[in-house]
Every structure is written in C-alpha cells, then in structure tokens.
Amino acid sequence: MQCKGEILEKNKLGNKVNRTCNEKLKEHAIFCPVCGTPTAALKTDLSALQNLRQGWDEFRMIIGRIFPFSIFMAIIALGLPVLALYLGSGDYFRTNLFLLLTVPFALVFFTLVDQFQAGSFQIGMYVKNLKYYPAFFLFTMINILYYILLKIICTGYLLNLATDPILHLVRFIMAIYWMAIILPVPYLMIEIEKNPLKAILLAYKAGSETRWQHFFLLVFILLINFIGMLLAGVGLFITLSFSYYLIYKYSAMMRNYELFNKPDKE
C-alpha cells in the first residue's frame, strides 16, 4: 500500500510544487511517516463507531448463551459499587475506600471476555480468576489517587483555598481524558501481563493516535447503558456485558495495529 498524500517541495527552477508521496506504508499504518497523511485506519478498523456496529453484530449472536452469566455480572459489577456508594453515605474518603474494595471485583470480569464466544460460563470461572483481584486493586487505587489529587488541585479540597472557577471545568476535562487514557489498561494487564503502572504508561503512549476514538467509545458505552437502564434495568443485563466486550474488542484491535509495540523504556 502506497501513500497518496502530497508533499510540497521545490523543483529545479525553485518553484514549489506538489508531488504524490508514494511512500510504502506498513499494513497497519495509521499515518504516513513521511508526509503525515492519515490512512483509512481511524475511519475503519480503529473507528469507535465501526467497532460498535461490528461488535454488536458479533455480540447479539451470543446473547442467549451468556445471558444467565450476564445477570450475575450485573449484580457484581453494578451492585457492589452501588453498595459502596451507599455505605460511604456522602463521606468522600469513606466512599473511595469502599470503592477501592469493590471495583476490582467488577474489573475481574474483563478476564472472561475472551471466552464470550464459547458461551459456557460458570460462576466458578469467575471465582478462579479472582487471582487478578490484587492487580486490579492496585489499578483501582491508582485511579482513586489520581481523582483525589485532581480534586485537591482544582477545588482546593483539604487546603481551605479558594480556586478559580475555571478549574472545575479543567477537572471535568481531565477526568474524562483520564478515562480515555486507561481504556485499554485492563486488556494490557490480562493479555500482556503488565502491572497496572506499566500498563497505564503503555496505554498512554499507544493511544496517542486513537485517543478521540477512545472518547467516542466511552460516550457510546454510556449511551447504551443509559438505554439499558431505561428498559426497567433489565436491559443492563445485556448492555453491561456488551460494554466489557466492546472495550476488550477495541483494545485487541489496537494490538492488531501494533500500537502496543512502541518502544517501552523499562
């Protein structure tokens, strides 16, 4: 595959003219390394919208097989964090403490996504994969510390300092940006066996070209789960498990494009 972008250069007469780049591109190139022209990758394989459509076409074929397990998934992945918020009773640090203990249980479900196609789930499989709990506990703790630090810097929390109101907007943007950064981290922890900190650093570097697609994917996930909630909550039994599938599928596509193969200084 050759790049069809154009390069502005001087000819023998000193006039600036455009010429076709014609650089030979790697199979999974996202941008031409010479002229910077984007390939079709971000509009096809790495498109959040295309992954949503293709993911649903694949997922709807297995809904019947995994639905009973999806109920168990919803109870754990939603029930425990909601319980944590209830037990926290509005106390910021107590709430975060309970979230630290419960959110890792929800993240463990990522370890089972690659078996969705098989469709034969038992609760014992989830229990067996609780061995990932310590790693996801550390990952959750890093996230909580990030948001606590963001709250302190942007609101003056604990410092009794008045802050510029614009910092509240900064906090909102940085909170969303962080979610876009960490989207492939569970996949990296499971499939590439990175510890949480290294997985976050790798996800940050690997997602530099796909970050907007991560954001769009998160928006789609929020919308489909909102729709699931409107369907008397029953829809969440489908939309929640689909959300896991979608995040995992997109992360696997990033791996196919060798985005996780960038130099990793360890």
Side-chain angles (χ1 to χ4, degrees):
M1 182 173 62
Q2 291 182 311
C3 176
K4 300 302 181 182
E6 294 187 340
I7 299 177
L8 187 65
E9 62 182 15
K10 291 183 179 180
N11 61 17
K12 293 180 180 180
L13 299 177
N15 298 321
K16 291 185 177 180
V17 295
N18 289 323
R19 73 167 177 85
T20 303
C21 177
N22 283 326
E23 174 72 11
K24 186 175 181 180
L25 300 175
K26 294 182 179 179
E27 180 183 0
H28 289 145
I30 299 178
F31 295 94
C32 172
V34 175
C35 67
T37 301
T39 66
L42 292 176
K43 296 180 180 180
T44 54
D45 292 341
L46 291 173
S47 162
L49 182 58
Q50 178 164 307
N51 274 270
L52 175 67
R53 290 169 174 167
Q54 291 181 346
W56 176 248
D57 287 341
E58 298 167 2
F59 186 79
R60 66 180 181 177
M61 303 300 293
I62 59 174
I63 290 176
R65 297 202 302 270
I66 70 171
F67 187 75
F69 188 80
S70 293
I71 298 175
F72 171 72
M73 179 184 294
I75 292 173
I76 299 297
L78 286 180
L80 290 182
V82 169
L83 179 62
L85 294 175
Y86 173 77
L87 294 176
S89 300
D91 182 276
Y92 186 72
F93 282 104
R94 185 167 57 190
T95 298
N96 278 285
L97 175 60
F98 284 123
L99 287 173
L100 176 61
L101 296 174
T102 56
V103 169
F105 286 107
L107 295 176
V108 169
F109 285 108
F110 277 110
T111 64
L112 298 173
V113 175
D114 63 342
Q115 301 178 44
F116 273 20
Q117 294 292 345
S120 56
F121 287 101
Q122 296 178 355
I123 294 179
M125 296 167 62
Y126 172 80
V127 174
K128 180 180 178 180
N129 282 6
L130 285 176
K131 63 184 180 182
Y132 287 93
Y133 180 92
F136 283 127
F137 178 90
L138 180 56
F139 173 54
T140 304
M141 183 170 64
I142 292 172
N143 283 275
I144 288 175
L145 291 176
Y146 171 81
Y147 283 112
I148 290 176
L149 181 61
L150 199 60
K151 182 179 178 69
I152 293 173
I153 293 174
C154 295
T155 69
Y157 180 69
L158 297 179
L159 301 178
N160 293 320
L161 295 175
T163 59
D164 192 313
I166 194 65
L167 289 177
H168 293 281
L169 177 60
V170 172
R171 181 188 177 198
F172 176 74
I173 293 173
M174 292 304 297
I176 296 175
Y177 182 67
W178 180 256
M179 293 299 296
I181 289 175
I182 64 172
L183 183 128
V185 169
Y187 177 89
L188 292 172
M189 292 174 60
I190 298 165
E191 296 296 334
I192 306 183
E193 299 183 346
K194 291 283 185 179
N195 67 51
L197 186 57
K198 288 183 177 180
I200 290 172
L201 293 174
L202 180 54
Y204 175 76
K205 291 188 293 183
S208 60
E209 297 161 336
T210 58
R211 198 87 70 213
W212 273 108
Q213 299 303 321
H214 298 185
F215 170 74
F216 294 142
L217 197 66
L218 290 171
V219 171
F220 294 148
I221 289 172
L222 179 64
L223 289 175
I224 61 177
N225 281 287
F226 178 71
I227 294 172
M229 184 175 62
L230 292 179
L231 298 175
V234 178
L236 286 171
F237 295 148
I238 297 174
T239 59
L240 185 64
S241 54
F242 178 53
S243 299
Y244 279 92
Y245 184 80
L246 198 55
I247 292 173
Y248 206 86
K249 172 183 171 63
Y250 193 88
S251 301
M253 186 61 70
M254 290 179 67
R255 189 179 188 182
N256 289 342
Y257 269 76
E258 301 180 350
L259 296 181
F260 300 131
N261 294 346
K262 295 182 178 182
D264 189 12
K265 296 180 181 180
E266 298 182 354

